[in-house]
Amino acid sequence: MNLVLLGPPGGGKGTQAKRLQEKYGLVQLSTGDMLRAAVASGSEVGRRAKAVMDAGQLVSDEIVIAIIDERLDQPDLAKGAIFDGFPRTVAQAEALDAMMERKGKKLDFAIEIRVPDAYIVERITGRFTCGKCGAGYHDTFQQPKIAGTCDSCGSSEFVRRPDDNVETVTKRLEAYHAQTAPLLPYYDKRGALKLVDGTMDIAEVTRALEAVVDSAG
Ligand code: AP5
Ligand code: MG
């Protein structure tokens, strides 16, 4: 089973990918996380990506396609992948189709987690993650059970993303509508697009996504 999660910044792709990963043994492939790791490592790709990410724009197709191409060859993807934040342009979607075919894999669904822009600033500006294990939280919607302590690993070190501010969110939303929204008809035309209402609470969105995955039998 290979899934693409589509949706705006802060729409819940990462939150839900982690939940589906646990339930189905699929592997979350987040190009955002991979690029942030490249930035943290100080690599050439990281240096090229950092300014673009901080400005809320899209990193070049060439860079992200190369990252995914390499990742798809690794052996942990036997049960399949959840693409989170990739593809983000029609060129990336076409490249993904070509890569999957070349590697003998199949894309089952592209699922749009639909969240109107009006929700997004609050989602993004309230987000924080565990600095040690990456578990995701929100100041209002997903607080740790014990304040200041990660539910998953017990760490007390939390981080916020440098691009999670009001100015950059506006740019990221613009990029989503201009460059990524065309992927909705791209997948719909071949009957692969599913829609989930991303304004429900986190557990309800998970249930709706599981219903889609389970429908594949
Ligand atoms: P990326 O890391 O992919 O960021 P994004 O698409 O902007 O999405 P986010 O990670 O911000 O949101 P999410 O949908 O994962 O939401 P989350 O689950 O965390 O990309 C970052 C940058 O990298 C891009 O701007 C670009 O520069 C570059 N990049 C990455 N991929 C690229 C590509 N393919 N091509 C080119 N450039 C690329 O949820 C958000 C918050 O809301 C959390 O706090 C969560 O707890 C909360 N929440 C989640 N669901 C709910 C709910 N149902 N109700 C209430 N709160 C909720
Ligand atoms: Mg994310």
Side-chain angles (χ1 to χ4, degrees):
M1 163 83 45
N2 292 288
L3 303 173
V4 168
L5 295 185
L6 292 166
K13 302 181 296 294
T15 302
Q16 298 298 337
K18 287 194 170 62
R19 290 173 153 232
L20 294 174
Q21 170 168 266
E22 273 185 28
K23 170 145 184 179
Y24 295 99
L26 306 172
V27 176
Q28 175 192 16
L29 297 186
S30 158
T31 40
D33 287 349
M34 293 174 198
L35 289 166
R36 281 184 287 279
V39 171
S41 77
S43 68
E44 171 62 21
V45 163
R47 278 197 295 276
R48 283 168 66 189
K50 184 174 183 344
V52 181
M53 293 170 77
D54 286 348
Q57 290 163 353
L58 294 186
V59 174
S60 76
D61 289 337
E62 177 210 341
I63 288 181
V64 290
I65 290 166
I67 290 177
I68 286 288
D69 196 6
E70 200 184 313
R71 183 68 184 82
L72 284 179
D73 288 331
Q74 290 167 20
D76 58 329
L77 301 178
K79 286 195 175 163
I82 306 164
F83 294 94
D84 160 8
F86 179 90
R88 258 192 160 81
T89 62
V90 170
Q92 290 179 25
E94 288 169 351
L96 178 60
D97 285 341
M99 282 186 271
M100 297 292 276
E101 196 178 333
R102 208 167 57 233
K103 296 172 202 286
K105 297 174 191 275
K106 175 174 161 273
L107 198 63
D108 294 274
F109 298 117
I111 311 177
E112 177 192 5
I113 303 178
R114 188 178 291 172
V115 182
D117 288 6
Y119 288 73
I120 296 302
V121 169
E122 189 182 18
R123 290 269 188 103
I124 295 261
T125 54
R127 170 170 52 194
F128 60 98
T129 55
C130 174
K132 203 169 155 204
C133 74
Y137 296 98
H138 191 281
D139 292 326
T140 310
F141 305 125
Q142 199 185 5
Q143 298 165 332
K145 291 190 183 84
I146 302 166
T149 304
C150 175
D151 297 346
S152 303
C153 76
S155 169
S156 54
E157 184 203 322
F158 293 99
V159 291
R160 289 183 191 256
R161 279 169 41 180
D163 59 342
D164 278 353
N165 55 70
V166 179
E167 300 74 37
T168 310
V169 169
T170 310
K171 297 282 175 225
R172 285 159 61 195
L173 276 171
E174 280 170 19
Y176 178 72
H177 291 298
Q179 290 166 277
T180 307
L183 296 184
L184 302 171
Y186 179 91
Y187 287 115
D188 196 24
K189 264 187 215 142
R190 68 165 89 153
L193 184 70
K194 304 283 174 184
L195 170 65
V196 163
D197 175 3
T199 67
M200 303 184 291
D201 73 31
I202 293 175
E204 285 174 307
V205 176
T206 306
R207 276 195 290 279
L209 288 166
E210 287 172 357
V212 173
V213 174
D214 293 341
S215 74

